[in-house]
Amino acid sequence: MKSIPLFRIKTARMKAERLAKIARALGMEGKTHSNEEALVVHDDTKALAYAQPCGKFAGVLFFTDQSQSLGAEVKKLVDEKTALRWTREFLKKHALLPEPVKDDRIRLEIEPACHQAEAVTFDGKERKAVKVKSDVTARITLNDIPVEGPRAKLRMSFKDKAQPAMVHLGMWESIEVYEERELIGENEVYIAVKEKLDSRECGTSGYDVVDMRLVYYADEFSGGPDLLVPYYLVEIA
């Protein structure tokens, strides 16, 4: 039977001064408020929050600018290269990515990319698709397995300025191998799911598994070791 490692992650405890610097880089000058679980900065239209270690969303940095809609048309959209460059410089300057890993058992890759998203507008006469935002997202993999979940994310949305209108960053400070566990095979998962569908009395016997993916899922923190654990994400139709 094949084995697979579980990983323990450590999220950074952020100081108020550090969050204030990040806020200024995002065009904010508000006062920082804090408690044991989070730091927050806000003004009339913008809000920035960071979830401290041991909080449910530990390590998540979230920013939103409510003065503009992400789906609204703008005169000139920030191009992909500018959005990517700003993102890389921002992450590096504020040390928001995980520390370099020296353990050969850990291959962590974070690959940012940018695409321009469209929305359909209607002026009363005709509908047309227009580009409304430049979205920077990242594919995160750990030993070639995708890492997903609310606490493993890099997303920034840009409108007409080289400064994001929305940031969702779920990252940790460091990572280490926790232990090895036996990996259940895809066939076993398929059989178990299919048997469950066939045994239900609510008309699901005609459904089947159409897709199955192995991922590491960065779930909400619920106490104990903060682990990245493998899950099979199963799609049924």
Side-chain angles (χ1 to χ4, degrees), residues 83-103:
L84 268 174
R85 182 172 62 251
W86 193 97
T87 299
R88 290 194 175 102
E89 290 174 354
F90 173 78
L91 295 173
K92 182 178 180 180
K93 180 179 180 180
H94 298 285
L96 292 171
L97 291 177
E99 297 172 351
V101 180
K102 297 179 181 179
D103 191 334

Side-chain angles (χ1 to χ4, degrees), residues 174-188:
S174 61
I175 184 170
E176 64 181 6
V177 175
Y178 180 67
E179 64 183 14
E180 295 253 343
R181 290 285 184 90
E182 203 172 82
L183 177 64
I184 299 172
E186 287 189 13
N187 190 54
E188 292 179 71

Side-chain angles (χ1 to χ4, degrees), residues 197 199-205 207:
L197 290 172
S199 68
R200 297 181 69 181
E201 299 178 357
C202 56
T204 59
S205 60
Y207 288 78

Side-chain angles (χ1 to χ4, degrees), residues 19-233:
L19 190 73
K21 289 181 180 179
I22 295 172
R24 287 193 289 273
L26 294 167
M28 299 178 65
E29 288 292 344
K31 183 180 178 181
T32 303
H33 305 272
S34 65
N35 59 27
E36 282 298 311
E37 293 191 355
L39 289 172
V40 177
V41 180
H42 68 87
D43 58 23
D44 292 339
T45 60
K46 303 182 185 73
L48 173 68
Y50 177 78
Q52 298 282 30
C54 296
K56 185 177 288 188
F57 290 98
V60 170
L61 181 79
F62 190 83
F63 165 78
T64 183
D65 179 355
Q66 298 182 0
S67 68
Q68 51 189 325
S69 167
L70 293 179
E73 185 177 2
V74 293
K75 290 183 178 180
K76 186 177 181 181
L77 193 62
V78 170
D79 63 84
E80 290 110 316
K81 287 184 179 180
T82 301
L84 268 174
R85 182 172 62 251
W86 193 97
T87 299
R88 290 194 175 102
E89 290 174 354
F90 173 78
L91 295 173
K92 182 178 180 180
K93 180 179 180 180
H94 298 285
L96 292 171
L97 291 177
E99 297 172 351
V101 180
K102 297 179 181 179
D103 191 334
D104 291 339
R105 297 172 297 173
I106 303 174
R107 301 188 311 279
L108 175 65
E109 295 186 8
I110 302 172
E111 303 172 2
C114 185
H115 72 279
Q116 293 186 330
E118 294 184 343
V120 176
T121 62
F122 181 60
D123 62 4
K125 295 181 180 180
E126 63 176 348
R127 299 181 187 276
K128 63 177 182 178
V130 295
K131 293 179 179 179
V132 294
K133 58 180 178 173
S134 293
D135 276 339
V136 175
T137 57
R139 173 178 167 80
I140 305 170
T141 60
L142 190 52
N143 295 356
D144 300 322
I145 298 173
V147 185
E148 300 185 7
R151 297 175 60 219
K153 192 176 292 291
L154 194 171
R155 184 185 172 197
M156 299 193 188
S157 296
F158 294 79
K159 299 291 289 182
D160 56 351
K161 292 187 286 188
Q163 189 177 81
M166 191 279 290
V167 174
H168 179 174
L169 182 66
M171 287 291 164
W172 50 89
E173 183 177 48
S174 61
I175 184 170
E176 64 181 6
V177 175
Y178 180 67
E179 64 183 14
E180 295 253 343
R181 290 285 184 90
E182 203 172 82
L183 177 64
I184 299 172
E186 287 189 13
N187 190 54
E188 292 179 71
V189 175
Y190 174 84
I191 292 172
V193 172
K194 187 62 176 169
E195 287 178 350
K196 189 69 174 179
L197 290 172
D198 291 343
S199 68
R200 297 181 69 181
E201 299 178 357
C202 56
T204 59
S205 60
Y207 288 78
D208 201 354
V209 174
V210 296
D211 188 40
M212 187 185 305
R213 297 188 299 120
L214 177 65
V215 305
Y216 282 105
Y217 194 75
D219 206 349
E220 297 175 5
F221 179 68
S222 57
D226 197 355
L227 301 179
L228 288 178
V229 178
Y231 282 82
Y232 282 104
L233 301 184

